[in-house]
């Protein structure tokens, strides 16, 4: 396996699918930056970040051209998947110029459920056991992505590039929504409007409040290892963006679809974490319940869009490569 991974292969010309879809997303968001230049907090920094990304991509491609192998193809894919951590907060830099829409989503949540499920759920399951279980589920998001990527890389390589393309492309489909739909979720919006408004079931329009504010509610539940881990992660890296639809639910559902098609046994390994994660998005107050439902609904749609894009002439791999 190690020999196959590092064994020199015939060099494939051009860009691979994940690189092409990233460039498409970069072009779209760069256009948004240019059009909204005077409204953005620091457009020069955003363009500089995109320039640095292109330089990094050129470096990893040069490494592949020097030593073409599965290992260096993996490096190219890994670079693009790692950049998702950059593109996520980048959505906040763009969408904070638009008026916040949480007041509408919170009101819809109230109308459908007769209250706020994110608050009721956390209050009903506040014990340490439930808190740790749901926070474990929420934190499982990134290990699930890494796990499926490595599983296809080493156990089912012929599915590796397509699976990672579907993951990355689906992320970008969610990010496009986030750029133009500024919804922050309960943990930010409820912190902004305060307890008095919440208790009165009043959800005011706060306009551009989040242009300069990043404060969020503490993670609910009893103190514990996973609760504290989620708390630390959110306080350090979260931004008031990306609530609707829930990409946590959407991407994890896509991961389950890929796992089912790759190896059923791996699907059942992921299943408990997936179930906890879907509930946890509401429990930790990162999302309204309608966000989670929208994540479930959009997942098969985005999977199919990504699947079809992969087989277009622009994104598809060289003719003759075995795939599923």
């Amino acid at each position: 396996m190690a020999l196959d991974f590092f064994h020199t292969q015939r060099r494939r010309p051009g860009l691979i699918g994940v690189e092409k879809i990233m460039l498409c997303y970069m072009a779209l968001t760069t256009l948004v930056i240019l059009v909204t230049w005077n409204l953005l907090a620091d457009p020069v920094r955003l363009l500089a970040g995109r320039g640095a990304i292109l330089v990094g991509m050129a470096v990893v491609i040069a490494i592949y051209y020097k030593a073409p192998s599965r290992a260096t193809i993996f490096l190219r894919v890994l670079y693009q998947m790692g950049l998702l951590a950059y593109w996520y907060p980048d959505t906040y830099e763009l969408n904070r110029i638009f008026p916040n829409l949480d007041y509408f989503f919170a009101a819809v949540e109230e109308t459908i459920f007769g209250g706020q499920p994110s608050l009721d759920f956390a209050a009903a399951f506040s014990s340490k056991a439930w808190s740790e279980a749901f926070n474990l589920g929420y934190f499982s998001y990134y290990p699930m992505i890494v796990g499926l990527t490595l599983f296809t890389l080493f156990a089912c390589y012929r599915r590796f590039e397509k699976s990672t393309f579907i993951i990355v492309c689906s992320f970008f489909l969610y990010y496009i929504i986030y750029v133009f739909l500024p919804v922050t979720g309960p943990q930010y919006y409820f912190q902004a409007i305060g307890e008095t408004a919440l208790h009165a079931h009043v959800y005011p329009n706060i306009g551009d409040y989040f242009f300069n504010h990043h404060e969020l509610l503490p993670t609910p539940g009893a103190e514990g290892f996973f609760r504290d881990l989620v708390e630390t992660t959110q306080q350090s890296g979260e931004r008031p963006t990306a609530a609707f639809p829930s990409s946590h639910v959407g991407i994890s559902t896509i991961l389950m679809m890929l796992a089912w098609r790759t190896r059923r046994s791996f699907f059942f390994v992921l299943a408990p974490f997936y179930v906890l994660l879907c509930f946890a998005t509401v429990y930790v107050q990162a999302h309204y319940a309608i966000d989670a439902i929208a994540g479930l609904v959009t997942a098969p749609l985005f999977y199919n869009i990504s699947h079809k894009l992969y087989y277009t002439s622009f994104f598809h791999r060289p003719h003759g490569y075995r795939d599923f």
Side-chain angles (χ1 to χ4, degrees):
M1 180 63 70
L3 291 177
D4 289 340
F5 188 59
F6 292 103
H7 180 70
T8 300
Q9 300 177 337
R10 186 175 67 176
R11 188 169 61 204
R12 291 162 41 195
L15 301 176
I16 59 177
V18 289
E19 292 165 343
K20 292 178 181 179
I21 197 66
M22 184 279 290
L23 290 176
C24 291
Y25 180 78
M26 179 185 287
L28 173 64
T29 53
T30 299
L31 179 61
V32 174
I33 291 170
L34 296 177
V35 170
T36 62
W37 185 273
N38 293 329
L39 301 175
L40 297 170
D42 194 351
V44 173
R45 178 175 59 83
L46 296 179
L47 291 184
R50 282 155 173 75
I53 286 171
L54 293 177
V55 171
M57 188 172 78
V59 170
V60 297
I61 291 175
I63 294 171
Y64 167 78
Y65 268 65
K66 184 70 174 178
S69 66
R70 289 186 181 183
T72 49
I73 281 288
F74 172 62
L75 178 64
R76 292 170 70 174
V77 173
L78 181 65
Y79 179 71
Q80 297 302 327
M81 296 191 76
L83 284 174
L84 294 171
Y86 171 87
W87 293 120
Y88 170 72
D90 185 76
T91 64
Y92 165 70
E93 298 298 332
L94 301 177
N95 75 19
R96 63 172 165 164
I97 66 175
F98 303 114
N100 174 261
L101 298 176
D102 276 78
Y103 71 96
F104 173 78
F105 283 81
V108 170
E109 189 96 332
E110 179 89 21
T111 300
I112 294 174
F113 300 104
Q116 294 297 327
S118 60
L119 298 178
D120 298 337
F121 191 17
F125 296 89
S126 59
S127 69
K128 184 172 182 177
W130 283 115
S131 173
E132 285 293 274
F134 287 125
N135 279 284
L136 166 63
Y138 192 76
F139 190 76
S140 298
Y141 182 54
Y142 296 108
M144 286 175 66
I145 297 172
V146 173
L148 182 72
T149 300
L150 294 179
F151 186 83
T152 55
L153 177 67
F154 290 109
C156 199
Y157 184 73
R158 69 187 181 87
R159 307 184 180 215
F160 169 68
E161 285 190 48
K162 180 178 179 180
S163 296
T164 51
F165 177 87
I166 288 173
I167 294 169
V168 172
C169 183
S170 298
F171 263 110
F172 285 141
L173 290 171
Y174 281 111
Y175 288 174
I176 289 170
I177 295 175
Y178 300 153
V179 166
F180 298 104
L181 192 71
V183 184
T184 68
Q187 61 186 347
Y188 282 102
Y189 181 65
F190 293 168
Q191 172 70 20
I193 65 175
E195 292 187 6
T196 301
L198 273 178
H199 291 156
H201 302 278
V202 174
Y203 306 108
N205 182 348
I206 58 176
D208 63 353
Y209 175 85
F210 290 113
F211 191 91
N212 293 308
H213 291 84
H214 304 166
E215 301 83 15
L216 71 166
L217 293 171
T219 303
E223 290 188 5
F225 176 78
F226 287 108
R227 186 266 184 193
D228 294 344
L229 193 60
V230 169
E231 171 84 1
T232 301
T233 302
Q234 291 200 319
Q235 292 291 344
S236 60
E238 192 56 79
R239 295 291 186 278
T241 182
F244 182 90
S246 168
S247 60
H248 270 71
V249 173
I251 294 296
S252 61
T253 302
I254 290 168
L255 293 175
M256 298 302 290
M257 296 170 69
L258 289 168
W260 181 260
R261 288 159 172 78
T262 302
R263 191 74 57 83
R264 300 290 168 85
S265 58
F266 189 60
F267 171 91
F268 289 111
V269 169
L270 296 181
F273 300 99
Y274 168 71
V275 172
L276 285 172
L277 186 152
C278 289
F279 285 102
T281 57
V282 180
Y283 180 84
V284 304
Q285 299 170 356
H287 293 280
Y288 303 105
I290 55 175
D291 300 340
I293 295 169
L296 288 171
V297 171
T298 53
L301 173 63
F302 288 0
Y303 177 96
N304 287 322
I305 291 173
S306 301
H307 183 277
K308 291 182 183 301
L309 283 176
Y310 180 78
Y311 282 112
T312 62
S313 58
F314 181 70
F315 292 107
H316 193 44
R317 291 197 44 158
H319 179 70
Y321 180 79
R322 293 179 60 203
D323 210 327
F324 73 108

